[in-house]
Amino acid sequence: MTPPKPTSSCPAAPAPADPRCPVDHGARPAPPPRPASLPPGPRGWPAVGALPLLLRDIYRAPERLRDRYGDVVRVPVPGRAELILVNDPDLVVEVFNRRASDYGKGEMNYALFSSERHLPLPVSDGEPWKRMRRLLSPKFGARQLEAVSPLVREAIEERIDRWQEHVGSGRPVDLDGPWSDLTMSVLLRSMFTTRIDDRTIDEAVVAFRTFAYYAAFKMIATNAPRGLPLPYQRRGERAIRWIHAFLDRMVRERRAAQLPDGGSDILQMLLDAVDDDGRPMTDEELRSELFGLIFGGFETTASALSWTVAMLDLHPDVAATLDDEIAALGDAPPTAADLDRLPYLHAVFDEAQRLQGGPMFSRTPIEDTELGGHRVPRGSIVWISPYALHRDPRHWRDPERFDPARFARDEIHKGAFLPFGLGPRKCMGMRLAYMEAAFALVTARRRYRFRLAPGFVPRHQFHISTGMKGGCPVTLHPPRAAALPR
Ligand code: HEM
């Protein structure tokens, strides 16, 4: 039987159906969802899009784009991937935490470690990331770090003692250098126990810095036309060869001579780590993870310490409160047990990192997806700017003010404060970083006062971890000097 022809008042589907129509149309089908459109954003200039805006000031550009276009912005840039800027902390939580498994680190982050056949934790994804995080994360827990805390303290004291030569000289020292030597010493001592000679530490500092420059260019180049020569390529590759040879040597030496009974360090913890099926890490995995850990913990901690020292000098009231807290510890060297007695120090470090705020984290959706009602194609670079989120007046009272007390007083949206990231991929070395910062600041402030060069104003300097333009130039003075130069 042929179905009755729709009458003119019932053109077979679209409603409203004529109630007299004999055909049972069933429930009216939902209209197909209208594909969400890409987020709004500037048109940009021909060929270069909004690139000049980003290059002019990568820190302030997200604020400008947010004020003009809202919390999700499409930023036109030359290259293969869409760049989508996200400024809403709820959406940040969605990307980094609630729907973290829908996103990967993306090509840009993989490029950082393209020299490694086994991608280390900070840039791996999927099952390999899960396996390694499960294996390594427990090694960075409170109890394990307590075991390495004497090594951390020892390395810090040795380094900070050497700064004595600058006291009273009146010559400014760029603290970025001494903090980098210190953080490298701490990482290598807590990893390998052995006291590594100064020359090797200097070489390691240079190698990891060079690698970072080279890696930054490699990251940027993932979205640029292929085949362009990269600045730093030769030096970058030489740095990687140095790093590989050094780490191979450290592992070889450990395999040849075990730690004495009762000894514990990060290398040993990694060597002892086994999968559920009893499988330990291969030598290649081990080297690459050590590489990733040093890279993750070296300049990040050094720059955060420079920012903290600068902020303390510019805010003597905060420095005085901090010194009272430190004095209450007594004179004994700090221990892991003291960390709970230093809540203000913790807040000072957090507040310095809030204002330091880097310009970019990124994630890449594995499939086409939606964010805040906008379409985000798979393979896009979802760009989150800690700098902008950390000083968004909708989420921070008086955001430009250095005010560590806010962490005890105000409710902080976790998507608006992410110096260590957020969600399942939050910094694995965060506890180590806080311990290192606490020991370093306690030890340094017991021995010295730091005075910034006259007229110095901290300004953001783009790098893998944000530094200050001109470094951190300070003169050093005894802690109880009657009057320090201003
Ligand atoms: C002040 C110092 C530090 C800062 C500001 C910092 C910051 C961060 C941030 C923001 C992330 C997440 C990046 C993202 O989600 O894309 C991260 C991840 C990571 N960090 Fe740190 N970090 C610091 C110190 C350390 C230290 C001392 C170590 C270890 C020795 C370390 C090891 C790692 C590792 C392994 C990851 C990757 C975690 C994963 O993807 O599962 N970090 N760090």
Side-chain angles (χ1 to χ4, degrees):
M1 201 175 94
T2 45
K5 276 211 172 98
T7 62
S8 60
S9 62
C10 175
D18 186 332
R20 293 160 305 171
C21 174
V23 180
D24 178 11
H25 294 297
R28 191 149 63 89
R34 255 198 27 217
S37 51
L38 286 170
R43 297 240 314 268
W45 290 274
V48 290
L51 200 58
L53 177 76
L54 309 189
L55 293 179
R56 198 178 319 139
D57 191 344
I58 185 77
Y59 289 92
R60 307 307 296 254
E63 293 176 329
R64 298 210 178 102
L65 292 164
R66 175 196 68 205
D67 294 348
R68 183 95 194 262
Y69 300 99
D71 277 333
V72 189
V73 184
R74 172 178 180 257
V75 189
V77 285
R80 297 176 296 282
E82 291 285 356
L83 182 61
I84 311 284
L85 172 68
V86 173
N87 300 302
D88 172 359
D90 286 336
L91 294 180
V92 172
V93 174
E94 186 171 327
V95 173
F96 279 73
N97 197 9
R98 271 199 317 108
R99 289 176 48 209
S101 56
D102 294 347
Y103 290 83
K105 281 278 183 159
E107 219 192 313
M108 210 163 109
N109 286 305
Y110 306 145
L112 193 66
F113 279 101
S114 57
S115 57
E116 305 305 291
R117 277 202 305 187
H118 165 86
L119 286 180
L121 207 54
V123 298
S124 60
D125 263 332
E127 271 313 311
W129 169 76
K130 263 193 210 148
R131 170 181 169 249
M132 209 38 89
R133 179 91 195 195
R134 233 183 358 247
L135 216 61
L136 300 193
S137 211
K139 311 299 174 199
F140 287 80
R143 206 163 39 83
Q144 287 73 11
L145 288 181
E146 197 175 332
V148 297
S149 64
L151 297 172
V152 174
R153 193 184 53 228
E154 210 175 84
I156 287 175
E157 285 183 345
E158 275 176 29
R159 284 282 156 182
I160 289 184
D161 278 349
R162 298 183 190 189
W163 301 358
Q164 192 63 44
E165 61 174 305
H166 303 297
V167 173
S169 75
R171 277 190 311 279
V173 183
D174 175 1
L175 264 195
D176 279 353
W179 280 137
S180 299
D181 296 343
L182 179 144
T183 54
M184 185 56 80
S185 292
V186 166
L187 283 165
L188 299 187
R189 186 78 57 90
S190 54
M191 269 178 188
F192 306 121
T193 301
T194 357
R195 206 172 251 97
I196 289 168
D197 62 276
D198 283 358
R199 187 159 155 225
T200 308
I201 290 189
D202 290 348
E203 286 174 359
V205 166
V206 172
F208 275 88
R209 279 233 187 94
T210 312
F211 168 73
Y213 272 110
Y214 174 50
F217 285 117
K218 280 202 293 182
M219 286 175 87
I220 295 165
T222 52
N223 212 31
R226 292 200 194 278
L228 293 179
L230 281 183
Y232 267 86
Q233 177 140 352
R234 276 263 206 60
R235 275 180 284 174
E237 285 167 359
R238 209 176 318 129
I240 293 169
R241 280 197 297 277
W242 187 94
I243 293 167
H244 282 173
F246 168 70
L247 294 174
D248 284 344
R249 173 164 68 85
M250 297 314 289
V251 174
R252 222 175 24 245
E253 285 177 7
R254 174 62 54 86
R255 291 210 195 275
Q258 297 295 312
L259 275 182
D261 272 355
S264 177
D265 60 19
I266 292 173
L267 173 59
Q268 200 52 48
M269 291 181 200
L270 301 197
L271 283 167
D272 295 342
V274 284
D275 273 340
D276 295 343
D277 58 7
R279 185 161 53 110
M281 286 161 75
T282 64
D283 277 2
E284 189 164 15
E285 289 171 339
L286 194 56
R287 179 177 80 186
S288 158
E289 294 300 343
L290 291 169
F291 191 168
L293 287 171
I294 300 176
F295 176 76
F298 162 53
E299 280 200 293
T300 43
T301 317
S303 328
L305 284 166
S306 279
W307 275 88
T308 310
V309 168
M311 291 297 151
L312 284 171
D313 184 46
L314 294 170
H315 300 86
D317 51 331
V318 173
T321 310
L322 175 64
D323 289 336
D324 289 346
E325 185 175 82
I326 293 174
L329 290 182
D331 293 329
T335 65
D338 290 329
L339 297 181
D340 289 342
R341 297 171 64 201
L342 293 165
Y344 194 70
L345 183 145
H346 194 111
V348 166
F349 191 56
D350 276 351
E351 182 68 342
Q353 289 197 85
R354 181 180 72 80
L355 289 176
Q356 175 190 11
M360 185 170 203
F361 293 163
S362 70
R363 289 290 189 273
T364 290
I366 297 163
E367 297 298 342
D368 287 355
T369 190
E370 213 174 310
L371 259 182
H374 302 285
R375 186 161 75 83
V376 178
R378 82 189 256 208
S380 306
I381 301 168
V382 174
W383 169 21
I384 275 129
S385 160
Y387 179 96
L389 288 158
H390 287 183
R391 38 173 51 78
D392 186 331
R394 295 172 298 176
H395 309 293
W396 299 92
R397 204 187 314 168
D398 204 356
E400 292 298 338
R401 187 155 165 246
F402 182 70
D403 176 18
R406 70 171 80 240
F407 286 96
R409 187 188 58 223
D410 301 341
E411 203 174 310
I412 311 287
H413 192 310
K414 64 178 173 184
F417 181 61
L418 44 158
F420 291 100
L422 185 68
R425 304 205 67 151
K426 194 168 186 172
C427 176
M428 203 181 68
M430 185 176 77
R431 272 208 181 85
L432 177 59
Y434 277 123
M435 178 162 83
E436 194 177 342
F439 288 3
L441 291 169
V442 167
T443 311
R445 289 201 71 82
R446 279 176 177 168
R447 297 202 188 11
Y448 315 111
R449 287 292 169 268
F450 303 89
R451 179 104 313 158
L452 284 167
F456 180 86
V457 178
R459 289 203 186 83
H460 290 70
Q461 167 75 56
F462 176 62
H463 195 231
I464 287 235
S465 68
T466 291
M468 289 177 282
K469 284 197 175 115
C472 182
V474 291
T475 47
L476 269 68
H477 308 269
R480 273 172 263 287
L484 297 181
R486 256 283 158 222

